[in-house]
Amino acid sequence: MREDYNQMQERVVKLKELLLQMDKSASSAQNVVSTAVTEANISEKRAVETEARAQRAAKASAADRVVADDETHREEILEKEASVFHEKLRASAEKIDAMQQEMERSTEELNKIQDQIKLIENSSQYLSEREEASGEEKKISSPSSGKAMAKHAKKVQERNVIGENIKQLSVDITRAEAVRVGIHQEFEGKAIAWKEQANIAAKARKQADRSSHLAEDLASHAEEEREAANLRRIARERAQSSVSSSGENRESLKAQLKTAEKQAQEAKLKADEARLEEKHLSHYNDNLENNDHLEENLQHRKEDRDEALRVYEGYKVTQEATDAKASEARRLFDTSESVYKDAMRNASKEKVFQNTQKHNDRKVIIKFNQSSLACNKAEHELEKVRYAQSLVDEQELIVQRAKEYMDKTERVAEIPTSLAKMTFLNTTKFRAWPKSFAQANTNAHSFAQDVLEKKIFDKESSDAKKLKEFTMEHMCRTFPPWRTTNNRSDLNYDPMYQWALGCQLVAMNSSTFDKHVLQADGRFRSNGSSGYVLKPSFLRHLNLLNEDKATWNIKVLCGAYLPSPKTKKLGARVNPYVKVSVYGPTKEEQHFTTEVVNSNGINPVWDDKTGFEFSCDVQAMSILAFSVWDKGRSDNGRDGLIGAAAMPVSCIREGYRSVVLFDEYHSRVGAHAFSSLLVQATKRDGR
C-alpha cells in the first residue's frame, strides 16, 4: 500500500505540472484571441468606412448624372431655340426670294409693256390719230381719241402701275433684308450659345461617366473589404472557441487533480491503518498457543484484512480510471496547443494580408491620382486645340449644323411605342455568365475583339458555349480595341469566328480594303443585300446539330471588261489571274489560284478543266471570295487589285454563273460597271 500511495503522489505532481502548462497555454491563447478580436474590429471598421465611401461615391455619381441631364436639357433647349431662329431665317430668305422673283417678273412685264408702247408709237395709225387729235385740239377744246391712242394710254397706265409696284417691292426687299440680317445675327448668337452649352454638357456627361466608373470600383472594393472582414470574424470565433475549449479542459483537469489528491490521502490513511493492524496481528500471534480468545480475534482481524484488501483493489481500479482521465486530459491539452498554433498562423496570415491590402490600396490611389492628373492635362490641352479650331471653323460649323439639322428634320418620323420597346438596348458590363443569363433581353454585352480572342481561344471551350447560349436571347457587340485603333485606322480583326460565336454586331473599318472587309461584304450579300442576315438555326436554338455540310467544285472559265488597277497608268495592259478563297468558321482558309493571262483584260480565258474543290461545314457562314489581280508588272512592282466579289456558299447555284466584280470601295461605277467572271459551280454532295 505504501507503493500505491507513492504512485498516487507522483500522479498528483504530474497533474499539477500539466495544469501549470495549460495555464500558460491559456494565457498565450488569450493573447491570440485579443489580437484576433482587435484585427476583426479594425477590418469591420475599414469595411464600414469603405462601404460609406462607396455610398458617397454613388450619391456623387447620381448628382453628377442629374447635372449632366440638366446640362443636356439646356443644350436641347438652346438647340430648339436655334432651330426656331433657323426656321425664321429660312422663312425670311424664302420671302426675299419670292419678292425678288416677283420683282424680276414685274421687270420683265415692264420691259414687255415698254416695247409694246414703242411699237404703238411707231405705228402709222397712232401717228395719224395723233395728228388728227392735235388738229382737233386747235378747233375743239375736248378732242376725240382713236383706238391706237386709247391703247397707248392704257399701256402707259399699266407701265406706271408696274413701276410703282417695282418701287414698293424694292422697299420691301430692303426691309426684309434688314430683318433677315437681324435674324441671322440672333441665330449666330444662339448657335454660339448652343455650341458652348454642348461643350459644357459633354464635359458634364464625361464627369458623370467618370463618377459612375469610380462608384463601381469603390463598390467592388467595398465587397472585397466586407469579405476580408468576414474572414477575420471567422478567425476570431475559431480562436475564441479554442480558448473556451481550453478552459473547459483546464476545469476538467482541476477536478481530476482534486480527485487524485483525495484518493492519495485516503490511500495514506488506509496504509497507516494496515500498518497498525499488522503490528497488532504480530503481537497476538506470539500468544496464540495459550489464548483461544486471541485466536478468535485473529480470525476477525484476518477478515478485516481481507476487507481492506478488497477496498484497496477498489481504490486501485479507481486509480486506473483516474490515470485514463489524465491521459485524455493530456490529449486534449495537445489538441488545444495545436489549435493555438493554427490560430497563431492564421493571425500572422491575416496580418500579412492586411498589410498587402493596405499597400495595394496605396498603390491604387497613387495610380488613380496620376491618371486623373494626366487625364486633366490631356483634356486641358485638348480644350485649347478645340477652342483654336472652333475659332477658325465657327461660321462653317454653324452652316454645317444648320444643314444637318434641316436634313434631320426632314428625316424625322414618329416611332411607334412597340417598336421603341423592341429596339431599346442597354449595354451592361460582363462579370459572370450566371448574372448575364439572369439579365433581361434588352441588356447587351460589348467585348473588345482582342479580349474576346484571348478569353475564348477555343471555339469548343466552356466560355464559347456560354457565349453562344447567351447570344440566342441577347445581343452581343464586338469592336476594335482602342489601343490599336489609335495607332492604325486600317486594322481589322477576323469577323468569321465572332459570327460563329453568335455575335450579332461586329464592328468593321470599311475605309480600307482587306480580306476581312471582303468577308463582311460577302456575308451580307444574301437577303437582298439589305444588311440583315439571319443566323443559322444551331446558333438560335439549343440542342440542334449543324446539318449544313457540303462539297463544291468551282471552275473559273473566263472574264470580261477587266479594267487596269489604280497602280497602273490609264490604258495600260493587264495580266489578270483569279484567286478563289473560302473562309469558314470551323476550318482553315482554302485558296486556289488560276494561271496568268498575259496582256488581255477585255476577254481573258482560263478555261479551268480541273477546278477548285472545297468542303465546308456550315454553308450559311462560309464565304466564297473571287479576287482578280494584275500580275506584278505595275508601277510599284506589286500585284494590283482589279476587282473582287464574295458571297455565302449557301447562295451558290449550280451551273454556269456570272460573278459581277466590285472595286475596292465595294461599288460598280466607272471602269467596273461591266467587269465580271464566268464560272461553273458543281455540288458534289451535301444538301
Side-chain angles (χ1 to χ4, degrees), residues 102-345:
E102 181 66 25
M103 189 172 180
E104 290 176 358
R105 286 195 297 269
S106 299
T107 303
E108 291 177 358
E109 187 68 24
L110 180 62
N111 294 331
K112 188 183 295 183
I113 292 174
Q114 192 71 27
D115 293 338
Q116 292 175 359
I117 290 173
K118 289 182 180 180
L119 289 173
I120 293 171
E121 289 177 350
N122 294 328
S123 65
S124 58
Q125 184 180 358
Y126 174 77
L127 293 176
S128 63
E129 288 179 0
R130 185 175 181 183
E131 289 177 358
E132 290 176 1
S134 61
E136 290 179 359
E137 186 178 356
K138 295 178 181 179
K139 298 178 181 180
I140 306 172
S141 59
S142 58
S144 61
S145 60
K147 293 182 180 180
M149 291 189 66
K151 189 176 181 181
H152 180 270
K154 183 180 179 180
K155 293 296 181 181
V156 170
Q157 186 179 2
E158 290 178 359
R159 181 185 64 184
N160 295 334
V161 172
I162 293 174
E164 291 296 330
N165 189 18
I166 290 174
K167 290 180 181 179
Q168 186 62 36
L169 285 173
S170 178
V171 173
D172 293 342
I173 289 173
T174 304
R175 292 176 181 174
E177 186 66 30
V179 173
R180 190 190 67 80
V181 171
I183 295 174
H184 186 268
Q185 291 177 353
E186 293 180 354
F187 171 71
E188 286 183 347
K190 289 295 181 182
I192 292 172
W194 174 28
K195 174 187 173 183
E196 293 176 353
Q197 184 62 32
N199 293 331
I200 294 173
K203 291 180 181 178
R205 288 192 293 268
K206 187 180 294 183
Q207 179 63 30
D209 294 338
R210 190 182 297 115
S211 300
S212 176
H213 292 317
L214 180 60
E216 291 180 358
D217 294 339
L218 287 176
S220 300
H221 185 59
E223 291 179 359
E224 294 174 358
E225 287 292 338
R226 174 54 60 190
E227 291 177 358
N230 293 334
L231 290 175
R232 292 187 177 91
R233 178 177 56 78
I234 293 171
R236 179 196 65 191
E237 292 175 355
R238 289 179 178 176
Q240 289 177 345
S241 175
S242 176
V243 170
S244 62
S245 176
S246 300
E248 293 175 359
N249 295 334
R250 182 173 177 275
E251 294 298 328
S252 176
L253 192 62
K254 281 185 177 181
Q256 294 177 11
L257 179 61
K258 289 181 180 180
T259 302
E261 289 178 348
K262 183 177 179 181
Q263 291 176 356
Q265 188 67 29
E266 291 176 356
K268 182 179 180 182
L269 293 175
K270 291 294 182 180
D272 293 340
E273 290 178 359
R275 198 166 45 250
L276 291 175
E277 290 294 333
E278 184 180 0
K279 289 181 180 180
H280 286 295
L281 290 174
S282 177
H283 178 70
Y284 291 141
N285 191 30
D286 293 337
N287 300 319
L288 182 62
E289 295 178 357
N290 299 320
N291 196 340
D292 296 334
H293 177 71
L294 290 176
E295 185 176 356
E296 293 178 358
N297 195 11
L298 177 62
Q299 187 66 29
H300 289 298
R301 293 296 183 185
K302 287 182 179 179
E303 293 177 356
D304 293 338
R305 186 191 63 183
D306 295 336
E307 182 67 22
L309 287 173
R310 286 194 298 273
V311 171
Y312 169 73
E313 292 295 333
Y315 279 119
K316 191 173 182 181
V317 172
T318 303
Q319 181 182 359
E320 291 176 354
T322 304
D323 291 338
K325 290 182 180 180
S327 299
E328 181 66 20
R330 180 68 181 178
R331 186 184 64 79
L332 293 176
F333 170 74
D334 295 336
T335 304
S336 300
E337 187 177 6
S338 176
V339 172
Y340 164 72
K341 291 180 180 179
D342 292 338
M344 287 293 290
R345 284 195 296 270

